Amino acid sequence: MSESESESESDTYAARPLVRSFFMEEIDTAQAVAPLSAYCFMTGFIDAVTFSAIFIWCAFQTGNSIQLALALARLFNGQHDYSFHIADQQALCSVLCFIFGAFLGRIGDRMGCKTRAWLTLGTLIQTFFTMSAAIVMWKSHSGNVGDYRGDPAWTNTLTFVVIGFMSASMGLQGIMGKRLNTQFTTTVVLTTTWCELMTEPQLFNFRHLVKSRDHKVMAILFLFLGGFISRVILDRIGSAATLGVGTGLRFVIALWWLFVPAKKHP
């Protein structure tokens, strides 16, 4: 082995601990406003696709859970309706897959839920789920917009797979956002965010920046913006291509985590 090759190999071995240290560093969550805002944007973006087609939220599981409760209540209303309606099947699919995605977030507990490695890997898994949903949606040849709740645009088996992938991506995003413990909370459910915003002591203090207030407002605005842009794109290029755009956005967010500064220890 030549001297230059020996030096190159030694440099490679020396660089490995540095790379590992970089990825296993905890980020400074106070400086993660941009990717967390993008998470909220993706909540609106993905939810707009499912609600436009089947009137089901793949990220907001409160409504889906109540819908399943109502489906169960039909068994006792005296009309002997024992059918499992398509909307109830879709809600159940969304709930179960959301739970599965959230459960995957426990991987971060082992890697470190605030490390660059997990935040990047977790977002890449979300990207994979969204990409899979886009491909399956394209193969399903289903419509994009449902006329009313009783006539959803998605009814075949492949669209259930689409719902599953989309819900799993949102479940994973939610648990990752929650573990960061910021004003953006889960980045998925904004009911709590609205309540906390209305009870914010500095709500009307417009002379100064108030992080606890301003970040909540950003979360709400970015979710709204995501839903708006998603529907505009959906009307032009369809559900599959819109999910393709979402895949690209998630990939950008995954790379974004690499540029968030590390947490400074006192």
Side-chain angles (χ1 to χ4, degrees), residues 20-263:
R20 176 179 172 79
S21 175
F22 173 79
F23 278 100
M24 297 310 295
E25 277 183 328
E26 288 193 357
I27 66 161
D28 184 355
T29 55
Q31 300 190 56
V33 175
L36 286 172
S37 297
Y39 265 11
C40 294
F41 179 91
M42 289 308 302
T43 298
F45 193 94
I46 297 296
D47 260 331
V49 176
T50 53
F51 189 80
S52 296
I54 59 175
F55 308 98
I56 293 290
W57 306 108
C58 66
F60 309 144
Q61 296 305 324
T62 302
N64 293 339
S65 300
I66 295 298
Q67 183 171 330
L68 292 175
L70 297 178
L72 185 62
R74 282 200 304 270
L75 300 175
F76 306 96
N77 65 2
Q79 298 180 7
H80 305 291
D81 182 4
Y82 302 120
S83 60
F84 196 13
H85 297 183
I86 182 69
D88 303 329
Q89 296 174 35
Q90 292 166 335
L92 179 61
C93 176
S94 180
V95 170
L96 293 178
C97 292
F98 183 93
I99 293 172
F100 169 75
F103 185 79
L104 289 180
R106 299 181 70 89
I107 299 174
D109 294 340
R110 293 184 174 275
M111 295 179 61
C113 57
K114 297 181 181 181
T115 61
R116 290 194 185 97
W118 168 240
L119 291 169
T120 302
L121 175 60
T123 309
L124 285 175
I125 295 174
Q126 296 172 37
T127 304
F128 171 76
F129 285 156
T130 309
M131 179 185 69
S132 300
I135 295 172
V136 177
M137 186 67 230
W138 171 62
K139 296 293 290 183
S140 73
H141 304 293
S142 296
N144 304 310
V145 179
D147 293 327
Y148 57 94
R149 191 173 291 273
D151 185 26
W154 300 352
T155 56
N156 62 34
T157 303
L158 287 180
T159 56
F160 276 85
V161 179
V162 175
I163 296 168
F165 276 125
M166 295 171 71
S167 299
S169 74
M170 297 313 305
L172 179 55
Q173 176 185 308
I175 196 67
M176 291 176 66
K178 178 63 176 177
R179 285 288 195 261
L180 291 178
N181 193 29
T182 66
Q183 298 297 328
F184 290 87
T185 62
T186 64
T187 73
V188 171
V189 181
L190 294 190
T191 304
T192 302
T193 305
W194 275 110
C195 293
E196 291 178 351
L197 178 63
M198 292 302 101
T199 57
E200 171 59 48
Q202 302 294 319
L203 179 62
F204 299 107
N205 183 3
F206 301 120
R207 296 183 179 181
H208 305 283
L209 294 175
V210 181
K211 184 174 69 172
S212 58
R213 176 200 62 194
D214 298 343
H215 287 185
K216 292 183 180 72
V217 172
M218 289 177 64
I220 294 168
L221 291 178
F222 272 94
L223 183 141
F224 182 90
L225 184 63
F228 173 79
I229 292 178
S230 177
R231 183 54 192 255
V232 170
I233 296 174
L234 174 67
D235 287 336
R236 291 184 175 273
I237 62 177
S239 299
T242 302
L243 289 172
V245 173
T247 300
L249 293 174
R250 284 208 185 278
F251 183 73
V252 171
I253 299 171
L255 298 181
W256 211 331
W257 288 115
L258 298 176
F259 298 95
V260 178
K263 180 180 180 180

